[in-house]
C-alpha cells in the first residue's frame, strides 16, 4: 500500500510537471494588448523626439504656428494635445482653451479675444476649440443667431487667409467619433472620479442633439475648407491610432529641420565660501509618505 501510494505520488508529480511544460509552451510570450501597447509607446516616443526637434527649429527660425483642434465631444482632443505637448516647453507650445466669453467680451468684435492669443515669433499656439465655437456649439445651443453664424462662415476664410499671408502656419483638425463610441466614453466618465469633471452639461446636450451638431459641423467644414487652410478629419474611435496619425500629420505638414544641439560647458562648481554659515532655524519639511 505504501509503495503504491508513493508510485502514485511520483506519477502525479510527473504529470503536473508535463502539464506545466505544455502550458508554458502553449502560452504566447505576451498578450496581444501588451504588444500593441508597447508598439504604441515606441511610436509615440519617436514622435515626441521629433516634436522636440520641431520646438528647437521654431525657436531658432522664429516660426509662428497655429494648430486648431475641433471635433465632437469626447472625440479625444485633449488626449492628442496632451501627447503633443507633454515633452516640450509651455513657453513655446502654448495651449489656449478659452472659457465662455465675459459680458465685456460679448460686446467686442467676435475674433477679438482670439487674436490676442495668436503666436509671436518662436511660438506654437494650440487652440483646444477656437473661433469655430460660433458655427458649432454657439449656433446649436442658441448662443448666437443663424445670421451671426452664417456671417462668421463668410468672414472666417478671409481672416485665416490674412493669417497665412502674414507667415503663420495654420493647421486645422476635426476629430470625429461614432455615436456608439461617444456614448461609451460618456458613460465611462460617470463612474470614474478622474473623468467626471469632463462630463459637462454641454456634453449631455451634444449627446441629445447629435444630428443638430452634425448639420452644423458639415456646413462649417464645407464653407471654411480652403487650400491655404484645409480641414483635416481625424477618425478617433481608436484613441491611440488617432493620436499617432494626427501628430504624424502635424510633423509632416511643417517644413522643420533638426537643429544641432550645442552642448554646454558646465565648468567647475564654486567652492563653499568660508564665511557661509548654515541657518540654525528649523525648516518645515514635507512629511515622508512614500
Amino acid at each position: 500500500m505504501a509503495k503504491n501510494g508513493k508510485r502514485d505520488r511520483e506519477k502525479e508529480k510527473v504529470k503536473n510537471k508535463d502539464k506545466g511544460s505544455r502550458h508554458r509552451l502553449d502560452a504566447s510570450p505576451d498578450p496581444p494588448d501588451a504588444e500593441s501597447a508597447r508598439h504604441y509607446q515606441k511610436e509615440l516616443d519617436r514622435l515626441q523626439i521629433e516634436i522636440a526637434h520641431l520646438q528647437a527649429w521654431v525657436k531658432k527660425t522664429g516660426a509662428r504656428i497655429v494648430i486648431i483642434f475641433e471635433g465632437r465631444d469626447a472625440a479625444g482632443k485633449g488626449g492628442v494635445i496632451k501627447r503633443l505637448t507633454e515633452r516640450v516647453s509651455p513657453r513655446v507650445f502654448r495651449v489656449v482653451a478659452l472659457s465662455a466669453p465675459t459680458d465685456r467680451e460679448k460686446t467686442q468684435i467676435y475674433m477679438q479675444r482670439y487674436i490676442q492669443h495668436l503666436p509671436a515669433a518662436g511660438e506654437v499656439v494650440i487652440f483646444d476649440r477656437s473661433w469655430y465655437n460660433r458655427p458649432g456649439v454657439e449656433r446649436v445651443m442658441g448662443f448666437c443667431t443663424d445670421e451671426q453664424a452664417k456671417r462668421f462662415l463668410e468672414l472666417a476664410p478671409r481672416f485665416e487667409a490674412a493669417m497665412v499671408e502674414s507667415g503663420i502656419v495654420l493647421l486645422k483638425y476635426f476629430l470625429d467619433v461614432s455615436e456608439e463610441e461617444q456614448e461609451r466614453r460618456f458613460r465611462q466618465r460617470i463612474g470614474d472620479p478622474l473623468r467626471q469633471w469632463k462630463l459637462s452639461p454641454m456634453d449631455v446636450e451634444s449627446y441629445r442633439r447629435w444630428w443638430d451638431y452634425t448639420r452644423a459641423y458639415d456646413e462649417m467644414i464645407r464653407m471654411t475648407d480652403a487650400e491655404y487652410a484645409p480641414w483635416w478629419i481625424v477618425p478617433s474611435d481608436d484613441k491611440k491610432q488617432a493620436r499617432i496619425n494626427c501628430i504624424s500629420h502635424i510633423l509632416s505638414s511643417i517644413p522643420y529641420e533638426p537643429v544641432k544641439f550645442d552642448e554646454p560647458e558646465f565648468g567647475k562648481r564654486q567652492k563653499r565660501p568660508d564665511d557661509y554659515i548654515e541657518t540654525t532655524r528649523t525648516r518645515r519639511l514635507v512629511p515622508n509618505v512614500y
Side-chain angles (χ1 to χ4, degrees):
M1 291 288 291
K3 288 184 178 180
N4 289 339
K6 184 177 181 180
R7 280 199 300 270
D8 290 342
R9 287 195 297 272
E10 290 296 330
K11 287 180 181 179
E12 187 67 24
K13 189 182 295 185
V14 171
K15 183 179 178 182
N16 289 336
K17 184 177 180 181
D18 291 342
K19 184 178 179 182
S21 298
R22 287 196 300 272
H23 176 74
R24 287 193 296 273
L25 289 171
D26 293 341
S28 58
D30 291 295
D33 287 349
E35 180 64 28
S36 175
R38 269 204 308 273
H39 178 70
Y40 163 74
Q41 191 58 52
K42 182 178 180 180
E43 186 63 12
L44 182 61
D45 290 344
R46 183 188 70 80
L47 291 174
Q48 289 181 330
I49 290 173
E50 290 301 315
I51 295 169
H53 289 320
L54 170 62
Q55 175 177 248
W57 177 82
V58 167
K59 290 173 65 177
K60 180 179 180 180
T61 63
R64 294 173 295 156
I65 300 171
V66 171
I67 306 174
I68 289 175
F69 284 99
E70 292 287 343
R72 299 276 190 181
D73 289 314
K77 296 180 292 297
V80 176
I81 293 171
K82 179 180 178 181
R83 274 70 185 184
L84 186 61
T85 60
E86 66 182 347
R87 304 301 291 273
V88 289
S89 169
R91 289 179 292 277
V92 178
F93 280 72
R94 290 195 291 111
V95 179
V96 177
L98 300 184
S99 57
T102 64
D103 289 340
R104 181 176 181 276
E105 287 172 333
K106 289 177 183 177
T107 68
Q108 296 175 345
I109 297 173
Y110 181 73
M111 292 293 190
Q112 190 169 337
R113 74 185 191 125
Y114 294 99
I115 290 173
Q116 63 182 316
H117 295 286
L118 293 180
E123 292 181 346
V124 179
V125 173
I126 298 170
F127 283 97
D128 184 355
R129 296 204 179 278
S130 64
W131 42 88
Y132 284 102
N133 270 337
R134 171 132 292 184
V137 63
E138 289 188 16
R139 185 180 195 179
V140 173
M141 297 302 298
F143 299 146
C144 73
T145 65
D146 276 345
E147 291 73 20
Q148 288 174 318
K150 289 182 180 298
R151 181 60 175 161
F152 169 89
L153 292 171
E154 293 171 357
L155 295 177
R158 289 154 60 181
F159 170 66
E160 292 174 359
M163 289 172 56
V164 174
E165 288 168 7
S166 75
I168 291 176
V169 176
L170 175 61
L171 300 172
K172 302 189 299 189
Y173 294 95
F174 186 92
L175 276 70
D176 203 8
V177 67
S178 65
E179 292 179 79
E180 296 77 15
E181 180 62 15
Q182 185 192 59
E183 180 173 353
R184 188 190 71 81
R185 293 177 187 178
F186 280 161
R187 294 193 182 280
Q188 190 179 44
R189 292 175 181 180
I190 293 174
D192 187 347
L194 297 177
R195 300 182 186 181
Q196 287 170 353
W197 64 271
K198 291 184 175 183
L199 193 59
S200 69
M202 287 297 177
D203 291 329
V204 176
E205 284 300 315
S206 72
Y207 172 82
R208 292 166 52 187
R209 303 189 186 202
W210 175 272
W211 290 108
D212 289 341
Y213 273 96
T214 299
R215 290 192 183 95
Y217 288 143
D218 283 350
E219 185 176 16
M220 177 190 85
I221 292 171
R222 177 174 56 82
M223 292 191 66
T224 59
D225 182 77
E227 286 298 322
Y228 54 83
W231 277 107
W232 295 97
I233 310 302
V234 184
S236 62
D237 274 12
D238 185 322
K239 286 184 177 182
K240 291 181 177 180
Q241 186 180 62
R243 292 165 189 166
I244 298 299
N245 288 342
C246 189
I247 294 173
S248 297
H249 189 272
I250 290 170
L251 291 167
S252 69
S253 300
I254 302 171
Y256 73 97
E257 296 178 353
V259 176
K260 184 179 180 299
F261 177 69
D262 294 324
E263 186 176 340
E265 289 287 343
F266 285 106
K268 293 183 178 180
R269 192 188 294 272
Q270 66 180 158
K271 294 181 180 180
R272 173 174 171 155
D274 294 334
D275 60 349
Y276 174 73
I277 302 175
E278 290 189 23
T279 181
T280 57
R281 181 178 176 180
T282 302
R283 295 181 176 178
R284 297 176 180 85
L285 296 179
V286 173
N288 277 334
V289 296
Y290 180 75

